[in-house]
Amino acid sequence: MNEPLEGIISHPGEGSDPAVPLDRHLQVVADRMVELNAFSKDGDPPPAAIARCIGRLHDFGKVTPMFQEHVRDEYVGERKYTFHSRIGAFAVAHALKQMGSDERNRLAGFLAVAHHHGALKNTAHYVGTDVIEPEREEGAPNRWATPQIESIDTECANAADTLLRRASNGIATWESFRESVVSGALFCDLEDLVTVSVALDIRDIEPAVLPSRLYDRFLRYWGALTIADKTHASTPEMEDSTSLLPKSLSITDLDNHIRDLQSRSQSTTRVARLNERRENARQEAMTDGVERLLNSDTDVGLLTLPTGLGKTFAGISTAFAVRDRIAETRNLDFEPTVVYALPYTSIIEQTREVFESTVWGADPASREFTVHHYLSDTVTEIDTEFGPEGTADTDEHAPPPSMLGESWRSGVVLTTFVQLFESLAGPTNAQGLKLPALANSVIVLDEPQTLSKPWWPAIRRLTETLTEEFSATIISMTATQPTLFTEASQLESVSLVTDVDEHFRATERITYAVDDSVWNYPEAPPLSHDDAAQRIVDSVLNETDGPSACSAMAICNTILSSRKLTKRVVEKGRATTGISVTHLGEIYEDVLQTQTPAPEDGSTATPDDRPPSDTIADETLRRLDFRTDDDDEWIWNGDPSERPLFVGTFNSRYRPYDRRALIQVADVLATAGVPFVFVSTQAVEAGVDISFARVYRDLASLDSIVQAAGRCNRSFEWGERGGEVTLWFLADPDDLEADPPATHIYETPDIGGHLDLVVRTIKTAVETTNVQPDTVPETTFTRDAIVNYFDEIDRQVTDRKELVTAIEECDGSTLGRASLIDETYETVDVVVAVTEFDRRLIEEMGDAFENGNEPRGFALLNDLVDMRVSIPIRDIEENLPMATRVDRKERGEPEGVRIFVHRGQAGDGEYALAEGGFIAEVDDPIARRFTT
């Protein structure tokens, strides 16, 4: 007897390759869903069987004669009859009911298949109005599944019957499925899950009747189906899933690295004691802490350590220890993924160095390590879905294997909070690819207090999704542990280290000085940039505290503020008798130009020919008259009586390539005993290991203030409590009567009277401690004020339940419109050229796209990620009329690569290394309020 499915294909072959049989595609997808997602085999029916059924039937609609004609370019009828998602969703709902699945699994499976080429909609409205209602009305424009069933029954019922039986272990049949549709029983069953009866034969849409935790279960099945389907469609010859499994980095390599650091001679007894405390905290967290976390019914492990006590190494070590225990105790076939999430893209560089060079030497394109943030998602995908169901997608244009980076199929993923939580809250189809990697994962949240406060209720709810649906383990790691997890009634947390207060008391590095402009806020006038600059310059040139205590960092709230303060510092320095002033950017740019090779005529430029940023940093230090001693430590080699004033600027408008080099130079100058002022924005507050004798911080959220203090006397370079952090309130850079930068950034409708709350909390803590405002102990801020601050913030955002409601109502439309990023500052990327070699690379990238060589174009775009700067999209539209796209398409073209280029020519902005990075327009009201 002939195989009923013989000749029925899923999609055509590429070139001379044969077409992919439908049954083979369905079998591989079903197997891959189970293999990649660690679905449980317990239950009746078990989740693994449900997932396999979904995979086996997701393309059930392709069995129709209409689709088979379409996939061979022979179809001439109405397009809607070639759609395949809806009828496949119906088949899954029927099969799962026949198998004994509960309502949640049936509806989640239905939704997963219905949306497997798109994103979730408003579930109740979608099921009741978009699907059931038209299918009941003969002649309705959006009715196509019922006619498809009639066609199958006439022409290929045996093939459909075979698919249903194989998906349900023989329980569901074509006859039972057809009857459930013809009789209307299947429609009634689904309708009952999204509506309530209000009168005889009248039902209203009611999201409240949806099965509990439907959204969570949908994410699990939909994510599993999405990656299984796309990976096989893109490479149908790859039927074995082994190459899709992550590989783990070994914790032994980190242990050896730390042991090597400890074996080196310690400069002081204090440093030796500090290193001992660091290692004790790490060992406790990864042993006793892990035991407390995994042997109790807790969701979140709290790793609370003061700045400078090695949180990064402790967090990675603990995550790896948890990973290894989970793989062993849950009998997993492979060790789960460790997701290390940070607040901002701009601070990823330093952490990635730990993985790529410092410890493991991991390849970021490997199955061991992936770096993924928004820069990976700037290519606009061609939307092949038309109407509520989409076209009869043949999958021949499915993404290539390079999408695996965005799928997080690696042992360690370094990413951002935005990527993590927006992939859980209304994800796009592409974002859904990463969801399977979260199964049994270990997720490190580094500095979670920076998460958008209005999102806290949703973050808590999504954390439940992670821990309950995906069996993930969360580690919240910070010096300022927010109440985000500790005061969440639905989440249990446990400390991974004991004696947290003792760690903070034993490592007090600084004292705070609260300026009168803050202490008497809002009655006292804010401090002008002119006066602030004079105070900073006086402090670094003052010899009374010793010549080594002459470095200062000033952190501003906006880019414009940082530029203006830099300019004033330079002016005040040059007005000082006998002092010369050198801006790092001027020297750095000259070094970059001279050290980068000139492109040869007719040759092909490659990114590998660019000098590493650390090479440029080293040469910059030499040009600044620094030399290395016998221990390879940088020392200033100039005349002590003629010490210049060095000035640097830092913000997110510098290219990552330049940021790395400038931080490396600044790190040396900050402890070199030369007068040095580094003016920055919040971009330096997290993930940047740099230490200054003094830090000046413009008024901000209290957690941001404490983070800024973490850049002061970080490793006790100036002794116990030898650093000083001054908190002041800066005026508008241009107009003393205008609203100061702090009010633009921190006075938002989300938190009422925010700055007043910050000042009030500080004053209460200081007065309770009974100290003077100019000598406030560090722990007053880090252990007293911060706790009260977070308590008050939590009270204000507790009622922000819009997103939580959308989750409970499985409303993907509302969730998809939400963003962790303030949409007021929507940005676009610009690839910035500084040298002639940079310009050659940009031209070759443009040539590749223009000539249709997209693989090379995208490869260059990826290689030049460290030349990209994010600017407000409004700048492109209003201030940069000459800026062109990297792919040379029209600016308004919706498809392609919506990234722009700056070649260093007039009309497309200015990149000034001595003036704050990329400048679209000097008097730019958006830049005035842009924060980092």
Side-chain angles (χ1 to χ4, degrees), residues 422-745:
E422 289 194 2
S423 295
L424 289 164
T428 63
N429 195 259
Q431 288 173 319
L433 290 171
K434 62 176 67 71
L435 293 176
L438 300 177
N440 295 297
S441 65
V442 185
I443 300 173
V444 180
L445 303 177
D446 193 347
E447 312 296 356
Q449 74 281 353
T450 61
L451 281 160
S452 172
K453 309 301 189 294
W455 265 69
W456 278 17
I459 295 295
R460 286 167 170 158
R461 176 61 180 82
L462 293 172
T463 300
E464 289 185 85
T465 301
L466 286 168
T467 57
E468 295 181 11
E469 189 65 44
F470 289 90
S471 300
T473 305
I474 314 297
I475 297 174
S476 173
M477 183 174 74
T478 178
T480 53
Q481 201 67 244
T483 51
L484 174 61
F485 300 120
T486 59
E487 298 300 323
S489 60
Q490 67 271 45
L491 297 171
E492 293 291 332
S493 60
V494 64
S495 180
L496 299 175
V497 292
T498 54
D499 297 328
V500 172
D501 287 330
E502 174 58 27
H503 283 308
F504 277 86
R505 284 192 295 269
T507 56
E508 281 199 89
R509 303 163 292 105
I510 64 168
T511 57
Y512 285 91
V514 184
D515 185 74
D516 182 67
S517 59
V518 172
W519 189 258
N520 291 313
Y521 171 89
E523 286 76 17
L527 190 67
S528 71
H529 284 63
D530 195 68
D531 289 343
Q534 187 65 64
R535 288 173 59 177
I536 294 170
V537 170
D538 289 344
S539 73
V540 299
L541 297 180
N542 186 355
E543 297 284 351
T544 59
D545 293 333
S548 68
C550 52
S551 65
M553 172 184 282
I555 301 178
C556 302
N557 280 323
T558 64
I559 291 173
L560 185 61
S561 176
S562 69
R563 288 175 179 157
K564 183 57 65 75
L565 187 57
T566 300
K567 182 178 181 180
R568 292 290 181 259
V569 166
V570 170
E571 291 172 352
K572 297 299 181 183
R574 288 176 177 162
T576 304
T577 303
I579 294 293
S580 63
V581 179
T582 299
H583 194 289
L584 305 185
E586 298 170 351
I587 307 301
Y588 172 82
E589 182 168 6
D590 186 63
V591 169
L592 189 59
Q593 295 283 2
T594 58
Q595 293 294 309
T596 303
E600 298 180 7
D601 293 339
S603 64
T604 299
T606 66
D608 290 340
D609 293 330
R610 292 185 302 161
S613 58
D614 56 358
T615 299
I616 302 298
D618 288 349
E619 183 59 28
T620 300
L621 285 166
R622 294 186 186 97
R623 290 278 297 276
L624 295 173
D625 215 3
F626 279 79
R627 299 291 183 269
T628 54
D629 61 15
D630 293 338
D631 296 323
D632 288 331
E633 297 292 331
W634 289 98
I635 57 173
W636 189 61
N637 201 42
D639 186 341
S641 65
E642 298 180 358
R643 293 189 306 164
L645 170 62
F646 295 107
V647 178
T649 312
F650 185 82
N651 58 54
S652 63
R653 298 292 179 88
Y654 286 97
R655 307 182 306 175
Y657 178 95
D658 305 320
R659 288 204 300 263
R660 288 196 298 271
L662 289 171
I663 283 293
Q664 187 173 331
V665 173
D667 189 37
V668 171
L669 267 63
T671 56
V674 294
F676 176 42
V677 177
F678 199 51
V679 183
S680 177
T681 59
Q682 300 95 314
V684 80
E685 286 182 352
V688 178
D689 290 344
I690 194 167
S691 183
F692 288 80
R694 297 180 180 87
V695 168
Y696 297 85
R697 182 62 171 98
D698 193 6
L699 184 60
S701 63
L702 192 54
D703 51 302
S704 185
I705 293 168
V706 174
Q707 284 297 118
R711 311 313 116 188
C712 185
N713 196 26
R714 190 175 180 87
S715 295
F716 298 93
E717 296 90 347
W718 294 275
E720 293 182 16
R721 294 180 289 279
E724 182 179 288
V725 176
T726 298
L727 179 62
W728 56 26
F729 182 42
L730 290 180
D732 181 272
D734 297 324
D735 184 359
L736 294 179
E737 300 302 318
D739 290 337
T743 61
H744 286 305
I745 305 304

Side-chain angles (χ1 to χ4, degrees), residues 22-64:
L22 175 60
D23 190 53
R24 184 60 183 157
H25 174 61
L26 296 177
Q27 180 180 331
V28 172
V29 170
D31 291 343
R32 190 164 292 174
M33 284 183 68
V34 176
E35 291 165 359
L36 298 186
N37 291 271
F39 285 109
S40 171
K41 295 179 175 59
D42 298 327
D44 186 22
I50 294 172
R52 193 175 297 279
C53 177
I54 292 170
R56 265 293 191 171
L57 291 176
H58 78 283
D59 277 352
F60 174 81
K62 290 184 178 182
V63 78
T64 64

Side-chain angles (χ1 to χ4, degrees), residues 826-901:
E826 186 180 357
T827 62
V828 66
D829 283 348
V830 180
V831 182
V832 176
V834 175
T835 67
E836 190 60 38
F837 194 85
D838 295 341
R839 283 185 278 277
R840 171 69 71 82
L841 289 171
I842 286 176
E843 289 306 307
E844 292 192 5
M845 178 169 55
D847 289 344
F849 280 116
E850 192 171 45
N851 296 331
N853 189 356
E854 290 193 353
R856 172 160 170 76
F858 282 118
L860 282 169
L861 183 63
N862 183 66
D863 288 339
L864 302 185
V865 67
D866 61 0
M867 287 171 51
R868 286 155 70 168
V869 174
S870 296
I871 66 171
I873 196 169
R874 180 172 166 181
D875 276 338
I876 286 289
E877 297 169 349
E878 298 183 3
N879 298 329
L880 305 175
M882 304 296 291
T884 58
R885 286 173 32 163
V886 299
D887 59 5
R888 297 180 184 167
K889 292 185 178 182
E890 294 295 324
R891 289 165 62 112
E893 174 64 43
E895 297 176 2
V897 188
R898 299 190 65 192
I899 299 174
F900 292 78
V901 297

Side-chain angles (χ1 to χ4, degrees), residues 3-5 23 56 157-167 172 174:
E3 161 65 38
L5 292 166
D23 190 53
R56 265 293 191 171
N158 287 341
D161 186 66
T162 300
L163 292 178
L164 283 160
R165 290 179 185 274
R166 289 177 180 174
W174 169 250

